[in-house]
């Protein structure tokens, strides 16, 4: 209902139209609620569609195609080195984004979700003021905060910005293919974007504060990817801090503080990918009862409720794994709870996937986590050199691993590294969600020859029944 010219009322106000926001808005509309979704951006999709998941995966697919062509050479198929047309690549990326944004707008309109462009700032627990919008205020019965996150800047390093120092969003714009690129950070965004730039011809140096890459994944899973990036990147500096950056028209000079030495080096461009922070500041949360933790993440319960009865929060702004599929689920939960359904976010496994080549994917309990928690587990591995499908594709470096409860054989965690593990991990997530046992995985018939067979085989190893790998110990059976 319109109240006066510039104030509107809605049952559910969703602030932010990224994966969390639009999933929440769509579910709430499907449940019969009157929904308004505001975003500072014109089109729905958020960080994921415009500056994250989708543009990065579009570009990574091109890197993968090039890697496939290289891989085919020893098999007797030699392709010429690809000609790279940056403009066409940018256009392709834009086409992908535009078609998906169009799809989201259609879905939104067909569901009757009202979309408004503007920046929302809370005036109280039932009202936001909109900046940059013709609508001044929106009064709501419930609000869902889905404002996401943004890249973390280098702490304690100030420099005059001249366009050569980029964050992930800047790097995905593809201003050029720099001759030399320094990437700061050792997480998935650093490795994914580094792989894209390296495959297009940049000499990539990676500097990271920690002593290893991808700290969330078990080291044996990360190892094939680490070997690959150590091959395609120029140099690696672990245990290294950045003390200063100086940017001029020709490059960026960086002062490094390493474990054993300090040095200075100039790069054409620098990409900072050291983490992300929640978008919870400057939006008037102090006018509500919403609480944030010491890092700015909004505090919620398992129904996505904040400390303010009327306000829910989902996605990156609440922390945990900052991933689109976690935001999707949380968005649905918030909408369902507002509609009075007995819903809760109770996922046992939130899969993580690094879309490099090889890919690394994991879900549930990791081996490192089990060790830290002193939790007894049985870990079994199936190296892909024993997989017929991996052999046909020339990708023997992969590994499938499962973490079992030693007493019951229940599957607690799974990790998989190699080619196209992005789809394979979902079977592990389902197994964990369903409380599956090793027998369930082993007795499920996996098609041959596929990489999915490695999941059944690893469960077979736990049961001592593996076919394509020798048993650790021969079972003593009854004699005679
Ligand atoms: P966001 O997608 O961040 O959307 C938040 C929205 O809120 C934005 O549109 C913003 O404009 C709007 N907003 C913010 N403040 C306000 C305000 N005050 N008023 C109005 N609107 C506001 N995740 C994956 O699962 N898989 C991947 O492969 C993957 N790859 C990634 C690659 C990169 C390079 C990056 C940066 C991220 C990637 N992510 C990936 C993470 C993923 O993008 C996020 O987890 C996801 O976008 C979070 O969704 P969200 O709905 O919480 O918020």
């Amino acid at each position: 209902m319109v109240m006066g010219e510039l104030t509107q009322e809605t049952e559910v106000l969703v602030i932010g139209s990224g994966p969390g926001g639009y999933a929440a808005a769509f579910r709430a509309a499907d449940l019969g609620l009157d929904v308004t979704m505001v975003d500072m951006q014109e089109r729905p999709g958020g960080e994921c569609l415009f500056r994250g998941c989708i543009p990065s995966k579009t570009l990574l697919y091109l890197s993968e195609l090039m890697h496939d062509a290289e891989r085919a050479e020893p098999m007797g198929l030699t392709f010429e080195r690809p000609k790279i047309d940056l403009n066409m690549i940018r256009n392709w990326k834009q086409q992908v984004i535009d078609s998906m944004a169009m799809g989201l707008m259609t879905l939104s309109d067909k569901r009757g979700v009202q979309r408004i462009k503007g920046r929302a700032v809370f005036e109280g627990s039932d009202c936001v003021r909109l900046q940059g919008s013709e609508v001044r205020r929106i009064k709501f019965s419930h609000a869902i905060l889905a404002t996401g996150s943004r890249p973390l800047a280098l702490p304690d390093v100030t420099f005059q910005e001249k366009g050569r120092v980029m964050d992930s969003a800047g790097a995905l714009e593809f201003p050029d293919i720099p001759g030399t690129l320094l990437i700061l950070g050792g997480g998935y965004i650093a490795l994914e974007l580094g792989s894209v730039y390296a495959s297009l011809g940049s000499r990539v140096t990676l500097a990271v504060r920690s002593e290893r890459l991808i700290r969330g994944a078990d080291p044996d899973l990360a190892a094939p990817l680490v070997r690959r990036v150590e091959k395609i990147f120029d140099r690696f500096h672990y245990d290294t801090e950045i003390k200063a950056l100086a940017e001029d028209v020709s490059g960026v000079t960086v002062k490094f503080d390493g474990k054993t030495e300090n040095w200075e080096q100039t790069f054409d461009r620098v990409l900072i990918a050291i983490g992300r922070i929640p978008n919870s500041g400057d939006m008037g949360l102090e006018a509500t009862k919403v609480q944030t933790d010491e890092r700015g993440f909004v505090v919620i319960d398992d129904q996505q409720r904040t400390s303010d009865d009327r306000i829910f929060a989902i996605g990156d702004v609440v922390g945990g794994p900052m991933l689109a599929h976690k935001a999707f689920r949380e968005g649905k939960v918030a909408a369902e709870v507002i509609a009075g359904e007995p819903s809760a976010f109770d996922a046992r496994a939130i899969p993580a996937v690094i879309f490099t080549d090889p890919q690394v994917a994991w879900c549930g309990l990791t081996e490192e986590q089990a060790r830290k928690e002193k939790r007894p587990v049985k870990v079994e591995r199936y190296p892909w050199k024993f997989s017929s499908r991996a052999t046909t594709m020339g990708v023997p470096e992969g590994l499938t691993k499962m973490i079992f409860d030693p007493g019951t054989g229940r599957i607690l965690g799974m990790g998989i590294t190699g080619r196209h593990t992005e789809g394979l991990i979902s079977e592990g997530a389902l197994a964990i969600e369903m409380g599956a046992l090793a027998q369930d995985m082993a007795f499920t018939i996996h098609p041959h020859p596929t990489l999915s067979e490695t999941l059944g085989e690893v469960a077979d190893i736990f049961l001592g029944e593996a076919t394509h790998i020798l048993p650790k110990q021969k079972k003593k059976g009854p004699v005679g």
Side-chain angles (χ1 to χ4, degrees), residues 388-423:
S388 48
R389 186 62 177 136
T391 309
T392 63
M393 296 196 295
V395 289
E397 68 282 351
L399 174 73
T400 302
K401 148 177 188 180
M402 269 180 215
I403 324 286
F404 299 95
D405 178 88
T408 60
R410 186 160 158 175
I411 299 167
L412 303 174
M414 176 181 152
I416 185 159
T417 184
R419 186 140 162 72
H420 281 179
T421 61
E422 60 186 68

Side-chain angles (χ1 to χ4, degrees), residues 16 19-20 39-40 46-47 53 57 120 148 188 276 316 322-325:
D39 199 301
M40 298 186 291
E47 196 74 359
C53 329
K57 268 78 255 184
Y188 81 94
R276 297 183 64 81
D316 282 9
M322 289 160 110
L323 294 166
H325 40 278

Side-chain angles (χ1 to χ4, degrees), residues 279-294:
N279 290 328
S280 60
D282 297 333
M283 55 177 314
L285 287 183
E286 56 290 350
T288 71
K289 295 191 197 116
V290 173
Q291 284 177 2
T292 54
D293 68 12
E294 63 294 345

Side-chain angles (χ1 to χ4, degrees), residues 35 186 209 213 218 314 379 444 451 460 467 471:
V35 185
R209 273 171 83 172
L213 304 174
D218 284 336
I314 58 173
V379 181
T444 298
L451 296 171
D460 276 338
T467 306

Side-chain angles (χ1 to χ4, degrees), residues 325 345-352 362-365 412-413 428-430 432-433:
H325 40 278
F345 187 86
D346 55 1
R348 285 181 175 159
I350 302 171
W362 67 97
C363 65
L365 187 69
L412 303 174
L430 183 66
I432 296 166
E433 279 300 329

